[in-house]
Amino acid sequence: MAPVSHFERLPCVGGEVVTITIDGEAHEVDSRWTVAAALIAHGHTRCRCTPEGQSRGPFCMSGVCFECRVDIDGTPNRQACMTPVAAGMRVVLRQDLRALA
Amino acid sequence: MRERHPDVVVVGGGLVGLAIAHGLLRQKLRVTVCDEGDRDFRASRGNFGLVWVQGKGVNSPPYARLTSHSARLWPDYARQLQRDSGIDPGHTRRGGLSLCLEIDELAEKSAAMAALKAHTPGFDYEVLDAAGVRRFLPGASPDIAGGIYSPQDGHVNPLQTLHALLAAFEALGGTYLPRCRVDDVSHRAGAFSLTTSGPTLQTARIVLAAGLGNARLAPLVGLYAPVLPVRGQVMITERVAPFLPYPTTSVRQTTEGTVQIGDSQERVGLDDGTLPEVLVNMARRAIALFPLLRSAQVVRTWGALRIMTPDGLPLYEESRSHPGAFVATCHSGVTLAAAHSELIAPWIAGNDAPTLLETFDGARFAL
Ligand SMILES: Cc1cc2nc3c(=O)[nH]c(=O)nc-3n(C[C@H](O)[C@H](O)[C@H](O)COP(=O)(O)OP(=O)(O)OC[C@H]3O[C@@H](n4cnc5c(N)ncnc54)[C@H](O)[C@@H]3O)c2cc1C
């Protein structure tokens, strides 16, 4: 019997073009992308740092490894690979721990 | 086979068993630790990491002295563990605080501290109002009643500590048998034979350090360990920039930036789950103490079971009917780890029982 995949294949191009900002810089991306896809497409493969100062970036692309956490619209530590882009979204990459305020 | 005939078998590879086992190796004994399984209730994998003196033994001078002694041993013990294992248990001892929202609570705590100081040589503390607390912890709310600071308090990274203990034990030649449940113990001609889910082990000395498992095991060797579970729920936040330079009894920050919140005490039997209403209360109280926490995201919660004797004090005893069989259990296995390694191990190795341990036998639970 042929193996059955439980994954649904989503179209990843052909959506609208939307603009998001990454560290304040505007980028045009496909509305069907995740934030992690947008980061990689625009060369941001290092999006955060461990407490020991090592760089981390999107890795598993499936919500498991938590390495791609970024600030999205003011909320820190969101998983870029699990978050679809949206028009006007502000993504901030963080190399240090955020201070509570 | 060497590990089937060790000098001592320690039943239980949590903080209590491993601290004793590490001490026994430094007494030049051959030691095997049997440890059951990952599905067990294991306080050593779910605790709060405080090495805590204030508030321990307010009504029991011997317990206060033992706690104080262990906290004093911890700095050297942490270095020893790091030397033996290559792993830093993350111990710091700059003092710690317990905080009070209400003035009555503060008055009660102050009275308890005065009593503790009267019977505990070397114990110091300060009673602080909100402004005093904020000199130590600038993130604390100006609206709290105050708190108690004691320079004797400290904390560790509890998982690193457990890891360091296990690595030190193995590095010094100990045999650790995981997934090895001790089912039965028999005693003949001064030797114990342990039936386990793995190999059968023969030994002259056995230490029961099986946490909640001690209740079932102790009677097999003529001991009595009526321990009961008391659940504590714990909440972990995302890592944030350091803002808590001192640990408190209910909120502390690790060196990596994680904030750990938790101090619930629930008698719910063998249930290590979590309850939203308890977590919400813990979060509310944490925010009342440190308003900054309002914007911190919680990333994990869990429940874990404390191991409680009827009077809350530790239990250390050698069996009269089965000499060579010992039981060791307590509700503050992090705090007491240094004493377990430095005091209990030599006793089990054959030295006289240290005076600091004298009053902790199980005779007090007899009807
Ligand atoms: C929420 C919470 C917060 C805490 N905070 C602190 C704190 O801040 N400071 C502090 O000092 N203490 C604290 N404690 C207490 C501390 O964690 C415990 O005292 C300590 O971990 C007990 O260690 P243990 O080795 O006795 O028990 P456990 O960690 O339970 O280990 C017992 C081991 O025995 C094994 N076992 C059981 N039965 C058998 C058998 N038949 N055969 C073989 N193996 C067996 C189990 O698998 C387990 O690994 C806290 C506890 C909790 C739950």
Side-chain angles (χ1 to χ4, degrees):
Chain A
M1 206 167 78
V4 180
S5 171
H6 294 287
F7 293 99
E8 184 188 351
R9 198 174 177 101
L10 298 175
C12 53
V13 288
E16 300 161 43
V17 173
V18 295
T19 303
I20 66 170
T21 63
I22 300 175
D23 278 349
E25 202 181 309
H27 292 286
E28 294 197 333
V29 299
D30 190 291
S31 63
R32 289 176 174 165
W33 288 4
T34 62
V35 175
L39 289 171
I40 293 170
H42 292 284
H44 292 287
T45 51
R46 296 158 182 237
C47 62
R48 65 177 199 94
C49 256
T50 67
E52 296 77 31
Q54 293 174 333
S55 296
R56 290 288 188 271
F59 178 66
C60 76
M61 299 299 281
S62 54
V64 177
C65 76
F66 283 77
E67 296 293 20
C68 64
R69 285 171 287 138
V70 292
D71 290 14
I72 297 178
D73 291 337
T75 304
N77 285 319
R78 290 188 60 186
Q79 286 174 283
C81 72
M82 300 304 285
T83 311
V85 296
M89 183 178 263
R90 285 169 295 116
V91 178
V92 176
L93 315 185
R94 180 180 285 288
Q95 303 305 323
D96 54 3
L97 292 174
R98 98 179 151 111
L100 292 177
Chain B
M1 246 170 84
R2 182 174 120 81
E3 76 253 25
R4 297 199 184 178
H5 299 276
D7 298 316
V8 190
V9 172
V10 176
V11 185
L15 288 168
V16 173
L18 287 172
I20 293 172
H22 176 228
L24 288 169
L25 290 177
R26 286 183 295 137
Q27 299 287 317
K28 307 286 174 233
L29 295 174
R30 290 173 309 130
V31 186
T32 292
V33 170
C34 307
D35 200 17
E36 198 173 338
D38 289 339
R39 298 245 189 104
D40 284 357
F41 298 110
R42 292 171 139 176
S44 304
R45 286 161 171 78
N47 69 74
F48 204 68
L50 299 177
V51 176
W52 212 247
V53 179
Q54 58 167 301
K56 300 274 180 64
V58 170
N59 300 311
S60 166
Y63 184 39
R65 283 197 289 273
L66 178 63
T67 299
S68 208
H69 183 72
S70 193
R72 256 195 310 276
L73 292 174
W74 247 109
D76 279 342
Y77 188 60
R79 279 188 285 275
Q80 174 81 42
L81 263 184
Q82 179 148 19
R83 269 197 303 278
D84 290 347
S85 69
I87 294 161
D88 179 2
H91 177 259
T92 59
R93 195 187 190 212
R94 309 176 50 206
L97 293 93
S98 54
L99 303 180
C100 303
L101 290 170
E102 306 297 335
I103 198 77
D104 299 353
E105 198 189 341
L106 184 61
E108 220 171 272
K109 271 213 174 119
S110 311
M113 290 306 121
L116 188 58
K117 186 171 168 65
H119 62 234
T120 317
F123 173 68
D124 289 309
Y125 72 98
E126 263 177 73
V127 180
L128 306 167
D129 59 11
V133 167
R134 280 158 60 84
R135 280 198 295 278
F136 288 94
L137 299 167
S141 161
D143 300 328
I144 65 173
I148 309 284
Y149 167 78
S150 169
Q152 271 84 43
D153 294 325
H155 59 162
V156 297
N157 177 320
L159 291 179
Q160 294 274 98
T161 299
L162 186 66
H163 186 192
L165 279 165
L166 181 56
F169 177 71
E170 292 196 306
L172 298 186
T175 303
Y176 176 75
L177 302 177
R179 293 174 299 282
C180 179
R181 183 185 65 245
V182 173
D183 291 316
D184 201 6
V185 184
S186 61
H187 185 240
R188 202 150 27 91
F192 295 94
S193 173
L194 285 80
T195 313
T196 79
S197 54
T200 298
L201 304 170
Q202 315 283 339
T203 183
R205 267 169 271 182
I206 160 174
V207 182
L208 302 180
L212 290 168
N214 277 345
R216 183 181 75 79
L217 294 170
L220 299 175
V221 291
L223 289 163
Y224 183 47
V227 285
L228 285 174
V230 176
R231 182 168 71 187
Q233 295 183 42
V234 169
M235 219 180 307
I236 300 293
T237 74
E238 62 181 319
R239 291 168 174 174
V240 294
F243 75 102
L244 272 179
Y246 298 86
T248 78
T249 40
S250 57
V251 183
R252 69 181 199 106
Q253 190 173 24
T254 70
T255 42
E256 295 80 22
T258 298
V259 181
Q260 190 173 9
I261 299 168
D263 57 353
S264 75
Q265 306 245 0
E266 308 151 77
R267 295 199 176 258
V268 289
L270 292 175
D271 173 358
D272 63 356
T274 54
L275 284 178
E277 53 270 35
V278 175
L279 294 168
V280 164
N281 277 337
M282 281 163 44
R284 284 214 176 102
R285 195 182 133 82
I287 289 169
L289 295 170
F290 299 102
L292 287 170
L293 285 174
R294 187 162 290 141
S295 70
Q297 300 189 86
V298 172
V299 297
R300 255 194 317 284
T301 63
W302 68 74
L305 301 180
R306 298 184 185 82
I307 298 138
M308 212 53 100
T309 57
D311 59 6
L313 303 178
L315 169 60
Y316 308 120
E317 185 174 11
E318 180 173 10
S319 171
R320 284 191 204 147
S321 56
H322 300 63
F326 295 79
V327 63
T329 198
C330 67
H331 83 59
S332 287
V334 181
T335 306
L336 295 176
H340 289 160
S341 200
E342 307 278 338
L343 289 182
I344 301 218
W347 169 44
I348 288 162
N351 295 321
D352 289 343
T355 41
L356 268 173
L357 299 183
E358 255 161 24
T359 52
F360 296 117
D361 60 50
R364 66 186 198 266
F365 305 130
L367 292 174

